Amino acid sequence: MAGERVQPATLSDKLPDGLTRSDAASAASEGKAPRTERGRKTLRAILDAAAIEFGEKGFHEASVSGITRRAGVALGSFYTYFDSKDAVFRALVRDMSDQVRDQVAPAIRAAPDQIAAERAGLYEFINFVRGHKEIYRIIDEAEFVDPESFHLHYATTADRIAARLKAGAARGEIRDDVSEVHAWAIMGMNVFLGLRYGVWEDDVPPDQVADSIAEMLARGIGAR
């Protein structure tokens, strides 16, 4: 229904090892999806190690052996799930997008109105970035290493924002002419706020940043 709050993520499908069910099936290379909980945990360890390896060294200097050393798994275990360094990088971009989604979704759903939802999303995003600063280097490199993943990351994020803005407009909580432009503007703002207050410095509390933006959004797209 148009008046219902959009559900950006299906957290009820969460697995014990941190991957959603769809992620467990799609993160690995084609035909290499893990079939057991142990396999999913190994896959999770490889992705987490890849995030550190790529985040510290960049794509070109990172290596499969470096990833497996960090993950504490044999080199053969890597190739059980991934065809190459390129393949795990592509999977990692999708995985980090999903992690951001899963971090912010519960707070967005719990918010009492749309402005509060945008505030909650930004607050959770900054907190996530402070614990995963490597996400910026990985996503930025994806523009050149895997442009399709780079485009998909931002396009799907903007689509989720647009969907929830339209739902908020249908409930009368924000102006009724919100569009894709507003969604991309909010996403772009959040990306650079995360860079400034999550990666570069953490000198301002996330709730203070989120409060400032919520006030700006209320005046800029609040229901007239």
Side-chain angles (χ1 to χ4, degrees):
M1 295 176 61
E4 293 179 342
R5 190 169 302 284
V6 174
Q7 306 283 327
T10 309
L11 297 180
S12 60
D13 285 342
K14 204 69 163 176
L15 293 170
D17 54 20
L19 287 171
T20 61
R21 294 187 189 280
S22 60
D23 296 333
S26 64
S29 295
E30 185 176 357
K32 294 187 174 183
R35 296 184 175 87
T36 65
E37 182 177 347
R38 180 179 179 182
R40 290 190 293 269
K41 287 182 177 179
T42 300
L43 177 58
R44 178 75 264 164
I46 292 171
L47 286 170
D48 289 343
I52 298 172
E53 179 79 0
F54 288 126
E56 288 184 1
K57 296 184 176 181
F59 176 81
H60 296 291
E61 295 299 321
S63 65
V64 171
S65 59
I67 293 170
T68 56
R69 282 196 300 272
R70 294 177 190 273
V73 302
L75 191 63
S77 295
F78 177 91
Y79 291 105
T80 298
Y81 302 109
F82 297 103
D83 293 336
S84 63
K85 184 174 75 168
D86 295 69
V88 74
F89 184 83
R90 288 194 298 271
L92 180 61
V93 173
R94 295 194 301 272
D95 179 66
M96 300 212 79
S97 294
D98 290 343
Q99 286 191 57
V100 173
R101 176 200 64 196
D102 293 348
Q103 172 84 12
V104 305
I108 289 173
R109 288 201 301 268
D113 58 60
Q114 198 56 47
I115 297 298
E118 298 309 316
R119 180 204 179 279
L122 175 58
Y123 173 83
E124 293 296 338
F125 176 65
I126 293 175
N127 278 327
F128 177 86
V129 168
R130 288 185 176 185
H132 303 81
K133 296 183 180 183
E134 67 277 5
I135 187 173
Y136 276 82
R137 181 170 189 175
I138 291 166
I139 298 300
D140 285 350
E141 282 202 302
E143 181 179 6
F144 306 100
V145 175
D146 186 24
E148 183 178 355
S149 294
F150 177 79
H151 175 85
L152 187 64
H153 168 72
Y154 285 115
T156 55
T157 300
D159 285 347
R160 286 196 296 268
I161 296 174
R164 69 180 187 241
L165 290 180
K166 290 178 181 178
R171 294 191 298 269
E173 296 170 357
I174 57 176
R175 56 194 286 178
D176 59 10
D177 62 345
V178 289
S179 67
E180 181 186 74
V181 172
H182 296 94
W184 279 86
I186 289 174
M187 179 179 66
M189 176 176 63
N190 290 353
V191 166
F192 279 96
L193 289 168
L195 180 64
R196 163 62 178 84
Y197 297 106
V199 177
W200 289 353
E201 294 183 69
D202 58 3
D203 54 332
V204 179
D207 58 343
Q208 185 176 328
V209 178
D211 285 343
S212 296
I213 298 307
E215 182 179 1
M216 185 179 76
L217 290 176
R219 293 182 178 183
I221 64 171
R224 296 175 180 175

